[in-house]
Amino acid sequence: MSFLKSDTPLDLVKHLLVIGAAGALLLFGFFFVYLPITTNHGETIVVPKITGMKQEALEDYLDERNLRYFVDDSSYNPTIAPFTVLTQDPAPGERVKEDRKIYISVSMKNPPVIKMPKLVDGSVKNAQMILKSYDLVVGEIKLVPDLAQNAVLKQLVGGKEIVPGAPIAKGTRVDLVVGDGQGNQEFPVPNVVNMPQDEAATLLVGQGLQVGEIFYQPAEEGQTDGTVVKQRPVPAPGATIRMGQLVDLWIAGDAPLKSVN
């Protein structure tokens, strides 16, 4: 009966060396040949400029360059066509790997709807600032007789009042009705001629009028210093005046001296 001879130590060493060399070759091929081929290791693409392009054209345009896109934001601008690319990330000129996703924002087709702010009872200047901050358009400012000068009395859209909190699209024109500081009640022009200046001023203010400019002129014969010798508007028959209007006065005598500190 014969017995198989076992490998000598030298043969075993040879086998181990062959196995080690084969393993090293496989590792080398995997990391330095296979992976670079499958992942395009070291190869990059320059990101093109796509802002200003229409979204519908992006698919084919980026496919040709082995890139993709994703819409992550949108905003409304009435001067820009809908679905136009507004921003992009990465920026044009940056280098990225193939199949990289470019994040974009596009312009909306319809303006977003917001709640109408409250403008009534505030000043017209404040109302204009609020409208601009809400991306609303300041329309016509119509002055009407009212003692509340420069105060917003009504807020209108399309000629109709719009209440605070009502839905309104950004970019909508809002008209304002504003008080001119004068009442709409008319009455005969009061006559303050020949009255002392202080009494004339008291009477005018008591009737809702304002003392306008004061002019001094030398007193003529029969005139008392400090009295009203002329007024504008003149209290002629049928002449009327509205609340809040000015009445100029001419006073007999010299103007009072101003005190010097």
Side-chain angles (χ1 to χ4, degrees), residues 144-191:
V144 297
D146 195 278
L147 292 178
Q149 188 174 16
N150 294 325
V152 178
L153 307 177
K154 295 180 181 180
Q155 51 195 40
L156 310 173
V157 172
K160 297 181 179 180
E161 285 195 63
I162 180 171
V163 297
I168 183 172
K170 285 189 175 183
T172 300
R173 171 188 165 122
V174 179
D175 301 323
L176 303 174
V177 178
V178 179
D180 64 359
Q182 301 176 6
N184 55 8
Q185 180 182 355
E186 291 190 358
F187 51 89
V189 177
N191 186 359

Side-chain angles (χ1 to χ4, degrees), residues 178-249:
V178 179
D180 64 359
Q182 301 176 6
N184 55 8
Q185 180 182 355
E186 291 190 358
F187 51 89
V189 177
N191 186 359
V192 295
V193 175
N194 295 324
M195 294 179 61
Q197 180 181 350
D198 55 348
E199 292 183 14
T202 301
L203 185 144
L204 292 174
V205 173
Q207 295 194 19
L209 301 172
Q210 301 181 62
V211 177
E213 293 189 76
I214 302 293
F215 304 96
Y216 292 90
Q217 62 184 40
E220 298 180 359
E221 184 178 352
Q223 295 178 342
T224 303
D225 285 353
T227 59
V228 179
V229 295
K230 181 181 175 182
Q231 71 177 75
R232 183 176 56 200
V234 177
T240 60
I241 193 170
R242 288 191 309 177
M243 292 183 65
Q245 286 190 302
L246 300 173
V247 178
D248 299 328
L249 303 175

Side-chain angles (χ1 to χ4, degrees), residues 53-55 71 73-87 104-110:
M53 292 182 60
K54 283 300 196 68
Q55 183 181 349
V71 180
D73 194 14
S74 60
S75 60
Y76 178 75
N77 188 325
T79 63
I80 299 178
F83 307 113
T84 299
V85 178
L86 302 176
T87 62
I104 65 171
S105 66
V106 297
S107 58
M108 300 172 61
K109 180 179 181 180
N110 298 313

